[in-house]
Amino acid sequence: MASIFGAAFDKLDREVQRGISKRLQHRRTRYLKAMTGQTVYSEVILLADMPGPGRPDMPGYHHTPFYSTKNSSLWINKLLVEHDIPETCLLWFNTTLADGMPLDSRIVSNQLLRGPEIICLGGNAEKWFKQRFTYGRIYHKVHHPQAWKRFHSKEPYPLMGLLRQILDLQKVG
């Protein structure tokens, strides 16, 4: 029987499991700080769409983007570990919250003072961003992880190369 983390997570190497778990803890802590209006140092802000349909529905759940160890969340989290992308440089937001309301743009505005790069994960995130930040802010756009995993899974996900470039990480191997 699979653990609460899912059968696919359970099959991963223990070091990869630990890497994912540690990154998710950092992601949640940083996300919750930012959602309360605190400035969180980050080099990259990643804008996703909305929590997935299988999201927890208990009151007060945090809905940190890609916090799951299942489906496309597991896939992207595994890639982040494999590419050694430090979670401490990233800040994630869903542009539509679990209740269906759009993310308050002031929350993202608070984070822009230090000049992080913006990456929109898919068209819905890009649309949200362009509607609220019309002053020509430069941003990047890649396919949403779920779409890339589904339609291009045999090709490298461009987000990993973009993050490595922005964060000035040397190529592995």
Side-chain angles (χ1 to χ4, degrees), residues 145-158:
Q146 182 180 9
W148 191 268
K149 179 181 181 263
R150 184 173 179 191
F151 299 112
H152 304 281
S153 63
K154 293 186 184 343
E155 303 168 48
Y157 185 33

Side-chain angles (χ1 to χ4, degrees), residues 30-40 42 45 47 91-94 97 102-113 116 118 128 132-133:
R30 296 167 61 75
Y31 172 75
L32 291 173
K33 278 184 172 181
M35 290 300 286
T36 62
Q38 296 178 58
T39 301
V40 178
S42 59
I45 294 176
L47 298 175
L91 185 56
W92 301 73
F93 292 104
N94 282 314
L97 304 176
L103 175 66
D104 184 339
S105 60
R106 292 174 295 187
I107 292 172
V108 174
S109 292
N110 288 344
Q111 308 306 322
L112 296 178
L113 299 174
I118 303 289
W128 177 91
R132 286 154 181 84
F133 296 91

Side-chain angles (χ1 to χ4, degrees), residues 3 17 29 53 65 71 80 117 126 150-151:
S3 73
Q17 289 178 351
T29 299
N71 305 316
L80 291 165
E117 298 274 345
E126 180 185 38
R150 184 173 179 191
F151 299 112

Side-chain angles (χ1 to χ4, degrees), residues 133-162:
F133 296 91
T134 57
Y135 55 87
R137 169 119 184 151
I138 302 292
Y139 67 95
H140 307 273
K141 179 188 171 195
V142 296
H143 283 82
H144 189 280
Q146 182 180 9
W148 191 268
K149 179 181 181 263
R150 184 173 179 191
F151 299 112
H152 304 281
S153 63
K154 293 186 184 343
E155 303 168 48
Y157 185 33
L159 176 62
M160 296 303 123
L162 181 57

Side-chain angles (χ1 to χ4, degrees), residues 8 17 24 62 68 72 94-95 114 129 138 157 162:
Q17 289 178 351
L24 292 180
H62 56 86
S68 175
S72 63
N94 282 314
T95 56
R114 292 186 178 210
F129 184 74
I138 302 292
Y157 185 33
L162 181 57

